[in-house]
Amino acid sequence: MEQFDAAIIGFGTAGRALGGALADAGQNIAVVEQSDTMYGGACVNNACIPTKSLVESARLSAAIGGPITQREERYTAAVDDMDQLRTASRMRNYHALADRLNVSVIDGRASFVDVSHLRVSTASGTRDIEAKLIFIDTGSLPKLPSIPGVDSPRVFVSSSLIDLRELPRQLVIIGGGYVGLEFASFYTDFGAQVTILQDGDAILAHEDPETAEAVRKSLEDRGVTIVYNADVTRIDDEHDQVLVFAQVNGDEKRYPAHAALVAIGRTPNTAGLNLEAAGIELTERGGIKVDEHLRTTADNVWAMGDVAGGMQFTYIAYDDFRIVASDLLGDGSRTTKNRGAIPYCTFVHPPFARVGMTADEAREAGYTVNVYALPAEGISQAHILRDPVGLMKAVVDANSNVVLGMDLFCEDAQELVNTVKLVMDARIPASVLQSAVFSHPSMTEAFNNLFLPENLEQ
């Protein structure tokens, strides 16, 4: 029996950071990771970093243009560049923990024996571990529909499609959520003909309707086909392509492609952990049940990141680490209830970011609101960046002038949204953004104009 002060199941964003913090505090740590290609977690290896590398390469490729054969060559080169980037990132993450004398990185699959014991299945056999504290950071897995043919070698999820070194000239995407839209955007930039099969009658149904419409128009103007009310029923292989069949408004349609991407969401990765042996309960949605300090229903076990069933963002996982570190090494004041406003962004072209409430959500919460909208075509920097597409839209409390939420579908949205988050957390009035002196030319200075009276929607 190997004994440790703490064991971390999963080498993700939260697990890596917590392992380092506990090691710095003098504890003896075991980090169990089932795949040697996943050190650092999904963000490093098959999500944020590699996909954003492809997003940037696709934008450059679209600007260059040229025949499809040249675009295919640039796509292959982009995949190679992406792979080098993520490999370097993975190894940096690995050595950040593995090079410490009081950290043992174990390649294997862990399961609970009881609340303080783990059994790890490795390539060379079984290892039994005892730990005073245990942390679960196993992430999430893509959901797959229960339809015939979903196991075709030409059907991919986001993490496997980016490994494809040959550009699929025709790509069908099952699901019009954030991931589906992002992949549609950058594969279109690479030159693929993209069709999205959306099971509802709109994309971004939970977003502001005006912003969602602007995103839809932008995608369709760039050549993306969006099919609404599409219920995918089966997938067939035929020669060198895949056929995706769907019921669309009562009629069966078929959509040929060189590859199909399933992007219908993700589910917490708890399979094989034997959580019941430790008395760890799940929520109705399949995540591990945690309190505001991320403690599970077992006294000495915490869960962090996607597996805890919260928002599936790597920066939330990192904040989970800070909450657990506060609980164990600090004063315990940091919790899931005081994160402040949570920004998010999907990297369509231009990117779409949001933080806080939409106008409808604010009204439902009892606020009287003022809504301001500024088209991107009215922003000088957007023209300089050759992409005056989209809009900024702000929701402001009519009584206090505090910003309640903002949509940013424009260049540099992924940066602008963080400024808005700070303004919201500090309850800084919108008038400060309107009157602040910002550098020129910049996207940030558009806040000066956004809150002018003429941009107030009636």
Side-chain angles (χ1 to χ4, degrees):
M1 180 73 66
E2 301 175 70
Q3 295 185 332
F4 295 90
D5 295 312
I8 300 171
I9 308 173
F11 201 140
T13 296
R16 174 194 54 77
L18 183 63
L22 294 178
D24 287 344
Q27 297 189 26
N28 188 27
I29 311 299
V31 181
V32 183
E33 172 53 54
Q34 67 181 15
S35 172
D36 61 6
T37 65
M38 288 299 290
Y39 302 135
C43 175
V44 167
N45 295 290
N46 56 36
C48 317
I49 290 176
T51 57
K52 302 319 170 280
S53 175
L54 290 177
V55 166
E56 183 60 24
S57 294
R59 287 174 64 112
L60 294 173
S61 179
I64 296 169
I68 186 63
T69 53
Q70 293 180 8
R71 292 171 177 249
E72 288 174 326
E73 291 173 359
R74 291 198 293 267
Y75 171 77
T76 299
V79 172
D80 290 341
D81 288 345
M82 173 205 71
D83 196 45
Q84 292 178 17
L85 174 63
R86 66 177 174 180
T87 298
S89 298
R90 179 189 310 134
M91 296 317 297
R92 282 197 303 270
N93 276 269
Y94 174 76
H95 288 294
L97 286 185
D99 291 352
R100 297 169 181 258
L101 294 178
N102 55 340
V103 176
S104 297
V105 177
I106 302 170
D107 294 330
R109 186 182 294 271
S111 62
F112 281 88
V113 176
D114 58 36
V115 74
S116 58
H117 294 86
L118 300 174
R119 181 154 295 151
V120 182
S121 299
T122 73
S124 58
T126 299
R127 296 173 66 169
D128 291 320
I129 289 175
E130 181 179 17
K132 299 173 185 176
L133 307 173
I134 298 177
F135 307 91
I136 306 170
D137 183 32
T138 50
S140 59
L141 296 172
K143 294 179 182 178
L144 292 174
S146 299
I147 58 173
V150 74
D151 56 350
S152 164
R154 296 186 181 88
V155 175
F156 300 86
V157 294
S158 59
S159 56
S160 59
L161 183 61
I162 60 175
D163 288 328
L164 194 63
R165 296 186 71 253
E166 181 178 341
L167 177 69
R169 290 193 178 188
Q170 289 180 297
L171 175 65
V172 168
I173 299 178
I174 303 170
Y178 300 103
V179 172
L181 297 182
E182 184 172 294
F183 272 66
S185 181
F186 74 76
Y187 272 95
T188 294
D189 279 349
F190 275 124
Q193 296 178 356
V194 178
T195 299
I196 298 173
L197 302 181
Q198 167 68 349
D199 61 359
D201 58 6
I203 61 169
L204 301 177
H206 299 294
E207 301 292 348
D208 173 80
E210 183 181 11
T211 308
E213 172 61 17
V215 175
R216 180 206 63 76
K217 184 177 186 303
S218 173
L219 288 168
E220 292 188 340
D221 285 349
R222 291 165 50 218
V224 176
T225 298
I226 306 175
V227 180
Y228 298 100
N229 300 311
D231 180 16
V232 177
T233 56
R234 78 175 194 274
I235 301 172
D236 292 348
D237 280 312
E238 184 177 280
H239 305 301
D240 63 345
Q241 65 180 2
V242 64
L243 300 177
V244 180
F245 290 83
Q247 289 287 325
V248 181
N249 296 319
D251 297 324
E252 185 177 71
K253 305 285 187 179
R254 72 173 194 167
Y255 301 91
H258 297 104
L261 168 66
V262 177
I264 59 173
R266 300 179 67 86
T267 188
N269 181 18
T270 61
L273 289 174
N274 196 28
L275 298 174
E276 59 273 16
I280 298 170
E281 299 176 12
L282 299 179
T283 66
E284 292 181 358
R285 301 183 64 180
I288 294 176
K289 184 183 294 186
V290 294
D291 66 11
E292 64 190 73
H293 298 277
L294 300 172
R295 303 167 186 151
T296 72
T297 50
D299 288 340
N300 65 323
V301 183
W302 288 253
M304 308 174 293
D306 289 4
V307 76
M311 291 174 284
Q312 296 176 344
F313 301 125
T314 191
Y315 45 93
I316 292 296
Y318 188 77
D319 194 56
D320 284 356
F321 143 68
R322 290 183 289 206
I323 290 169
V324 174
S326 174
D327 197 22
L328 294 172
L329 305 174
D331 61 4
S333 61
R334 192 159 194 145
T335 74
T336 58
K337 294 183 177 180
N338 56 23
R339 297 190 206 261
I342 304 299
Y344 59 87
C345 182
T346 185
F347 285 76
V348 289
H349 185 174
F352 163 56
R354 179 158 82 87
V355 61
M357 292 183 281
T358 66
D360 287 344
E361 290 170 342
R363 292 184 184 108
E364 289 174 4
Y367 290 97
T368 300
V369 299
N370 291 326
V371 180
Y372 297 85
L374 176 66
E377 63 185 16
I379 304 172
S380 297
Q381 179 69 355
H383 287 275
I384 292 171
L385 296 173
R386 306 296 193 272
D387 200 8
V389 172
L391 77 161
M392 293 181 169
K393 193 167 186 179
V395 180
V396 177
D397 181 357
N399 296 314
S400 67
N401 202 34
V402 168
V403 178
L404 300 175
M406 193 176 295
D407 285 2
L408 297 156
F409 176 43
C410 58
E411 285 290 340
D412 293 337
Q414 75 280 9
E415 303 290 348
L416 296 168
V417 74
N418 294 319
T419 297
V420 180
K421 181 255 191 317
L422 294 176
V423 165
M424 291 177 60
D425 286 353
R427 294 186 61 80
I428 295 172
S431 56
V432 173
L433 284 175
Q434 181 184 350
S435 61
V437 178
F438 295 118
S439 63
H440 173 80
S442 68
M443 292 298 293
T444 311
E445 67 177 339
F447 290 143
N448 291 160
N449 293 331
L450 173 61
F451 297 101
L452 292 175
E454 59 261 36
N455 292 321
L456 178 63
E457 293 189 343
Q458 299 303 318

